[in-house]
Amino acid sequence: MHLKSLLLVPLASLSLLTPSAQAAPTSDNTFGLTCDKFNKAVTDAGYQAPSSDKCDHFLNNLSDGNISSAEEAAMFLAEILWESDGLTAVKEIACENTGCPGQYGSSSDASGKSYYGRGYIQLTWSSNYQMCSQKLYGDDRLVQNPDQVADDDNIAWKVSFCYWAERVHSAPGVQDGEFGAATKAINGALECGSGSAVDKAKKRFEIYQKVLAVFDPSSTPNPAGCYS
């Protein structure tokens, strides 16, 4: 949910899967998805094979994002792959060292805290930290200590699913399969306006096409909702 300073997509690196990576949590809420499919989707999208714990977080928490289909799961994964540079960056690259003072400032900030992008969906602004903190914990702990979102991988995943459930899942067009509508709900005019910003939205859609081909090959990827 920010303009990244580094937008290079890492080259795929196919590696042998360990038995633990191949084992997939099973439930009625995973839409037939497995760790094998998760790993293939990530690498087909041009990223390095993820660790097994990332698959576990993804599959076990789909319901927390109100994700209702394999198609929507593909949307979510494609968006966070782009946001987190292939599930490797849980801090906004441009702000990691400086905190980007003033860039995300508002009257609801805790003193001395910065609310640049953290988590796999790169949560920004104190209002979104507050929303997820209340939803997840019933208090403002993530406002008071936003670094938890990057320092604790469990929280990094939880806020990503939280934001999807609260801000993306029910956004107009998302449940109709419009991938661009999800991008618009995440980054708005930063990528769904015109000019060079649209190039980033198109890169997200390219990732989605590859993920969807693994998760739900019977579905046709639809870029509508952002730039088309």
Side-chain angles (χ1 to χ4, degrees):
M1 293 176 293
H2 59 280
L3 286 175
K4 294 180 184 294
S5 61
L6 296 177
L7 297 171
L8 295 178
V9 177
L11 295 175
S13 175
L14 299 179
S15 61
L16 294 176
L17 299 178
T18 64
S20 61
Q22 293 175 358
T26 57
S27 77
D28 293 334
N29 299 319
T30 56
F31 319 110
L33 301 178
T34 65
C35 284
D36 283 344
K37 288 183 178 181
F38 176 81
N39 292 333
K40 179 172 173 53
V42 173
T43 55
D44 282 3
Y47 297 99
Q48 294 184 356
S51 59
S52 60
D53 64 296
K54 296 190 187 304
C55 173
D56 292 340
H57 277 295
F58 180 82
L59 293 181
N60 287 329
N61 293 287
L62 288 172
S63 61
D64 291 342
N66 288 339
I67 291 170
S68 58
S69 66
E71 182 181 54
E72 188 178 356
M75 287 186 181
F76 176 79
L77 180 56
E79 295 287 11
I80 67 172
L81 283 172
W82 175 259
E83 293 270 308
S84 67
D85 289 335
L87 308 179
T88 64
V90 289
K91 289 184 178 181
E92 186 173 351
I93 294 170
C95 305
E96 185 172 3
N97 295 323
T98 66
C100 289
Q103 184 169 335
Y104 298 106
S106 73
S107 59
S108 62
D109 296 355
S111 178
K113 303 302 180 181
S114 180
Y115 301 94
Y116 61 86
R118 297 178 180 86
Y120 291 99
I121 208 164
Q122 299 284 276
L123 195 71
T124 53
W125 300 100
S126 59
S127 59
N128 287 321
Y129 280 79
Q130 177 68 30
M131 178 267 292
C132 283
S133 192
Q134 284 292 333
K135 180 177 174 61
L136 294 172
Y137 305 110
D139 57 34
D140 67 348
R141 69 183 67 183
L142 300 183
V143 177
Q144 298 301 321
N145 183 8
D147 284 330
Q148 291 180 85
V149 177
D151 294 341
D152 186 323
D153 196 52
N154 187 51
I155 297 176
W157 281 100
K158 282 185 175 297
V159 300
S160 301
F161 282 110
C162 168
Y163 188 89
W164 189 274
E166 297 298 313
R167 300 282 193 258
V168 184
H169 171 77
S170 297
V174 172
Q175 293 307 307
D176 296 321
E178 296 180 4
F179 179 76
T183 299
K184 185 176 182 180
I186 292 170
N187 240 12
L190 287 175
E191 294 186 20
C192 296
S194 59
S196 60
V198 171
D199 293 339
K200 299 180 182 68
K202 289 180 177 179
K203 286 297 296 181
R204 290 180 189 252
F205 181 67
E206 289 173 8
I207 293 169
Y208 173 61
Q209 289 176 292
K210 294 172 182 176
V211 174
L212 185 63
V214 178
F215 278 17
D216 188 3
S218 66
S219 293
T220 301
N222 181 359
C226 180
Y227 57 85
S228 65

